[in-house]
Amino acid sequence: MHAVTIGEPGGPEVMALTDLPLPEPGPGEVLVRVLAAGLNRPDLMQRQGLYPPPPGASPILGLEIAGEIVATGPGMPGKTAPAIGTRVCALANGGGYAEYCAVPAGQCLPWPDGYDAIRAAALPETFFTVWSNLVMTAHLAAGERVLIHGGSGGIGTAAIQVARALGAVPYATAGSADKCAQCVELGAEAAIDYRHEDFVDRIAALTDKRGVDVILDVIGGPYLERNLRCLAPDGRLVIIALQGGARAQEVGLARIMTRRLTVTGTTLRPRDGAYKARIAQGLRETIWPLLAKRTIAPLIHATFPFAQVVEAHKLMESGVHSGKIVLDMQAG
């Protein structure tokens, strides 16, 4: 099969298509012929040598795929073994930038009704991340307010829609007027252009100084103190990425105590298969019907033929995109 390999950590140009043996599905796994694969920021970090795969995971880039099951691993219980030929999208532990990928069966979901491979490939990593953090970690409830940083990215655009679907009130930050308008179109109550506005002041004004109940943060250190000032009593801050850095300066801990705040962080990739299977079940029951009804939908910015993976990474690094970038394995 063709797969993306990395000669040494570095920029997009270190990636190349290489002939590799097909992976063999292990116990509880299925082998998927990949028709499309989504790009995610952890792919960029792994390529740069900053995010090594966990033990046992494929070293090949790629955390989400859509395709067709062509084989099952040994020991798959008969009642739960997916049928050969089933079209699935899956959260991979690695190996998605390839023509075939072995993934745990519990991390597979069917394509929503009416979806093609491109749209299905834009779902797994994004919606698994959003569900695990907003629902399973932050316990976001109907009527609560949530601030979503990076609202125009793949995670952000999904989080806005999921929050609305849960009956919550989402606010978002984004880096331009156009991106803010896009966030509002997707369901954000308001969007804040962080390049020209102080999101702390805007959240105070938008919530009558009460603050938000939940914050989903991709920035990290530079936002920690400001995020704490945005939280209402009993508020929860969930840090899921460190795009701005891993260190925070001059954080007022008294605010955490007096307002009973919770600060936590998560990374999805190292979690075990049982946890990821629980996420998949929640998505199947709550979000997949909404995708089929077009109540919510992935926002896809661009698709690239598999051979143009370097160009796809360059676009993601530029930061000009809104929504998902997807590799089309079938395109010439």
Side-chain angles (χ1 to χ4, degrees), residues 75-89:
M76 186 81 70
K79 292 183 179 180
T80 60
I84 302 301
T86 302
R87 290 184 166 183
V88 296
C89 54

Side-chain angles (χ1 to χ4, degrees), residues 119-213:
R119 290 168 65 80
L123 299 175
E125 202 276 344
T126 299
F127 281 90
F128 271 70
T129 297
V130 169
W131 186 264
S132 66
N133 286 289
L134 286 187
V135 177
M136 297 171 69
T137 299
H139 305 291
L140 181 67
E144 289 191 315
R145 298 181 172 112
V146 54
L147 172 60
I148 298 159
H149 289 301
S152 64
I155 298 294
T157 54
I160 290 168
Q161 296 179 81
V162 169
R164 273 295 181 193
L166 295 172
V169 180
Y171 303 96
T173 62
S176 71
D178 288 344
K179 289 183 177 181
C180 285
Q182 198 165 48
C183 292
V184 172
E185 185 176 348
L186 288 170
E189 188 77 8
I192 304 159
D193 184 346
Y194 64 82
R195 298 184 189 277
H196 299 100
E197 301 177 276
D198 185 332
F199 69 81
V200 178
D201 291 341
R202 286 281 283 132
I203 288 296
L206 289 164
T207 63
D208 294 325
K209 298 184 179 180
R210 181 183 181 278
V212 296
D213 302 288

Side-chain angles (χ1 to χ4, degrees), residues 210-266:
R210 181 183 181 278
V212 296
D213 302 288
V214 173
I215 298 176
L216 190 64
D217 179 45
V218 296
I219 302 301
Y223 272 16
L224 181 55
E225 170 66 21
R226 298 164 70 192
N227 280 333
L228 294 177
R229 288 192 277 136
C230 288
L231 283 172
D234 298 304
R236 292 89 74 196
L237 166 62
V238 184
I239 302 168
I240 63 170
L242 302 170
Q243 295 178 21
R247 296 189 177 277
Q249 303 293 329
E250 300 180 2
V251 178
L253 298 181
R255 180 180 297 272
I256 297 175
M257 299 167 64
T258 59
R259 296 175 76 84
R260 304 176 303 279
L261 305 181
T262 299
V263 179
T264 189
T266 70

Side-chain angles (χ1 to χ4, degrees), residues 271-294:
R271 298 298 293 262
D272 62 35
Y275 180 81
K276 293 173 184 177
R278 291 200 301 273
I279 301 173
Q281 185 61 32
L283 290 171
R284 184 193 293 267
E285 294 173 355
T286 304
I287 300 302
W288 251 235
L290 300 179
L291 291 165
K293 294 176 183 177
R294 306 297 194 270

